[in-house]
Amino acid sequence: MFRHILLAADGEDHSLLAIELCLKIAREFGSSVTAIHVLDPYLKQFYNEIYAQGRREYLRYVDACLVSCADELESSLVDIFQELPSFSFIRAYGDPEKEIIRHLHSGSYDLLITGGKVLSGIKRITSWNLPTRLEMKSPGIPVLVCRK
């Protein structure tokens, strides 16, 4: 039923549940898994607020941190999914919502699995809420959101 799963992983605690569930589903159906991690340049927008002499250093630091986190996540996921018939890791750059949807359109995926934070109160209104946005923009592919 689920031959190819796209797993959106950011390395945060709320995606651990999504990773665990993805592994269980992939084992059950013999699915191949592609994990996508988007290096979001969000922090780079603040470089104008830093004194001129520190701007380049700040941008290099942010890039190094993003790459380091992606390296750690990739290594961890390769270990977790090593028993599957096929596993691949995609590093995308830019807006997470746009990149994940772009990959959903370009691949032959049967399911998108992502983690999400449980939102309550005012956070429901003010949050960017990526999982809900992915559900709304999915091109007819089921989206499984694992909230923690």
Side-chain angles (χ1 to χ4, degrees):
M1 186 170 164
F2 300 116
R3 294 179 313 277
H4 196 181
I5 299 170
L6 181 63
L7 170 65
D10 61 5
E12 298 291 327
D13 286 342
H14 58 268
S15 19
L16 296 178
L17 182 59
I19 293 167
E20 290 173 19
L21 192 54
C22 181
L23 181 59
K24 288 178 185 176
I25 292 171
R27 281 180 182 152
E28 182 69 28
F29 292 99
S31 310
S32 63
V33 173
T34 298
I36 182 169
H37 176 72
V38 182
L39 286 81
D40 185 358
Y42 170 77
L43 292 174
K44 286 183 162 185
Q45 70 183 332
F46 301 108
Y47 78 96
N48 283 327
E49 297 174 16
I50 296 174
Y51 293 106
Q53 68 269 18
R55 288 183 183 156
R56 285 191 190 124
E57 289 79 11
Y58 172 77
L59 292 174
R60 280 195 293 267
Y61 176 77
V62 169
D63 283 337
C65 287
L66 291 173
V67 169
S68 174
C69 289
D71 288 344
E72 287 176 30
L73 180 62
E74 181 177 11
S75 176
S76 173
L77 292 178
V78 165
D79 289 343
I80 291 170
F81 291 101
Q82 67 182 344
E83 68 189 64
L84 296 183
S86 173
F87 174 77
S88 58
F89 186 86
I90 296 171
R91 284 180 201 218
Y93 298 86
D95 179 284
E97 176 185 344
K98 290 177 183 172
E99 289 302 311
I100 293 167
I101 293 300
R102 185 173 70 81
H103 281 278
L104 272 180
H105 280 285
S106 68
S108 56
Y109 300 104
D110 302 305
L111 178 65
L112 167 64
I113 299 177
T114 186
K117 297 175 185 169
V118 175
L119 302 173
S120 60
I122 194 72
K123 287 203 176 212
R124 281 188 145 164
I125 298 167
T126 60
S127 171
W128 188 49
N129 202 352
L130 177 61
T132 299
R133 296 165 75 95
L134 292 173
E135 286 177 308
M136 291 188 309
K137 292 190 176 182
S138 171
I141 295 167
V143 178
L144 177 58
V145 179
C146 305
R147 296 204 185 268
K148 182 177 181 184

